[in-house]
Amino acid sequence: MTPKTHQKGRGARWIGVSIGIAAMAVPTALLAANAADQLYERTLMTAADGRCRLFTPTVSAALDSSRAQARGATLRSGASELQVTALEQRARAKAAGAACDSKDLTLAASRVKAAFDGYSQMLSMTYPGDVASWKAERSISATIPVWRLSQSAGFGADRLMFGLVGRAKAVTAVATFDNGQRPYTARIIVRDVSRTLGPYFAPGAGRNLSGKVAPRNASIVFNAETRQEAPLTLLPTGAKTGLAFRFPTAAADAIAQLDPREAVTVEFAFAGRGDEVTRKAYVEVGDFAAGRAFLR
């Protein structure tokens, strides 16, 4: 699949920008037919906004979230990471060459604003994936830690909540273990996009997320920075106790760069008799980047 980059008149690529933007909440699969066009347009307007300050912070966040979702849809529809990067570079170059007060840009910006009229009233968003979903929540508490972006997962009889917590949007994994064992640390294992040409998918992986992770030697490992008892507000539904592990912000940056069809490994380490014993949970990347932008 080659992303479309043809021009239909100088103004068309600006004026058509808002078409489909209001549909950012629909499942990404529904956007695949024209995902590359949407990615080009939304990247162009995001870049123009960054240079010309076209929108309020709320609209800027909405546009960037929509851009990230279109990026995921483009990858799902068959484009390679190299093709997507080239398309984004062309869109940014187009934005860089436009005057901030040009008629085309002014018209396109007005359409983006209209598409997001009332968007500031939205406090939550769910981003469906192929296997799991991300739930984004704009509401925060000054005193109680709450999930801002989260995905739940089961691994055997054990359970996991993973995502971003609180005002700082700290990368956090909260796990509860059926047999009462307590890991001494946890790790997030993410494909290293600087050393790989694309995702690794095992033949016949289907909905099995363990078949959608890169080999250890092609991955970055992020070690937990803290370990503590999990607050009740962060526990998986029905759990009474659990452990919370916080990771560096760089882990979120790394996840946001991945293909939405990939998975991330969350590894818990237990002290054994000699060798370390580990248990692994898997989180679908999905629209993590879009959900993160929604919270901006």
Side-chain angles (χ1 to χ4, degrees):
M1 178 268 196
T2 301
K4 302 175 184 177
T5 56
H6 57 274
Q7 300 293 326
K8 300 177 182 177
R10 188 173 65 90
R13 284 306 246 181
W14 292 99
I15 296 171
V17 166
S18 67
I19 297 175
I21 281 184
M24 62 177 290
V26 304
T28 306
L30 299 182
L31 303 176
N34 60 345
D37 281 335
Q38 291 180 348
L39 175 59
Y40 181 92
E41 294 171 343
R42 296 171 191 186
T43 301
L44 188 157
M45 289 306 294
T46 301
D49 178 42
R51 188 165 62 87
C52 302
R53 298 293 185 264
L54 301 172
F55 310 119
T56 64
T58 299
V59 172
S60 293
L63 178 62
D64 192 38
S65 178
S66 181
R67 177 205 57 77
Q69 193 174 20
R71 189 180 198 277
T74 304
L75 287 165
R76 280 190 176 104
S77 66
S80 69
E81 289 184 0
L82 291 176
Q83 288 175 318
V84 167
T85 298
L87 184 150
E88 291 170 322
Q89 289 173 342
R90 287 193 288 274
R92 294 186 183 108
K94 173 73 172 180
C100 290
D101 59 353
S102 72
K103 291 183 179 180
D104 286 339
L105 181 55
T106 300
L107 178 58
S110 70
R111 294 196 175 200
V112 170
K113 292 173 186 175
F116 289 111
D117 183 37
Y119 181 83
S120 61
Q121 303 302 314
M122 298 181 66
L123 297 179
S124 65
M125 185 80 75
T126 298
Y127 296 88
D130 297 329
V131 177
S133 299
W134 289 102
K135 184 176 182 181
E137 295 282 354
R138 280 184 167 151
S139 300
I140 57 176
S141 170
T143 57
I144 302 172
V146 294
W147 288 106
R148 305 291 308 286
L149 183 65
S150 62
Q151 183 179 134
S152 61
F155 52 121
D158 305 326
R159 297 165 65 198
L160 169 74
M161 290 290 294
F162 180 83
L164 307 179
V165 169
R167 188 181 300 274
K169 299 188 283 287
V171 184
T172 305
V174 173
T176 178
F177 297 92
D178 183 64
N179 61 4
Q181 287 189 306
R182 298 166 64 84
Y184 68 86
T185 193
R187 309 174 186 105
I188 300 174
I189 306 169
V190 182
R191 178 172 64 88
D192 186 346
V193 297
S194 69
R195 295 193 294 128
T196 55
L197 295 178
Y200 289 74
F201 298 131
R207 295 175 58 85
N208 184 4
L209 294 180
S210 64
K212 301 179 180 182
V213 298
R216 191 74 167 233
N217 61 5
S219 302
I220 306 172
V221 177
F222 297 94
N223 293 305
E225 296 177 328
T226 64
R227 168 186 177 271
Q228 62 184 26
E229 294 295 327
L232 292 176
T233 51
L234 300 184
L235 289 171
T237 302
K240 297 180 179 179
T241 62
L243 289 174
F245 297 88
R246 191 187 71 219
F247 299 87
T249 302
D253 297 336
I255 296 171
Q257 296 181 62
L258 297 179
D259 186 298
R261 297 166 294 179
E262 289 185 79
V264 170
T265 304
V266 184
E267 182 179 82
F268 299 96
F270 301 80
R273 295 181 178 178
D275 293 339
E276 177 182 86
V277 177
T278 61
R279 298 185 197 175
K280 297 177 181 179
Y282 299 95
V283 174
E284 184 179 31
V285 173
D287 282 322
F288 175 85
R292 190 185 185 201
F294 176 80
L295 302 176
R296 196 178 70 194

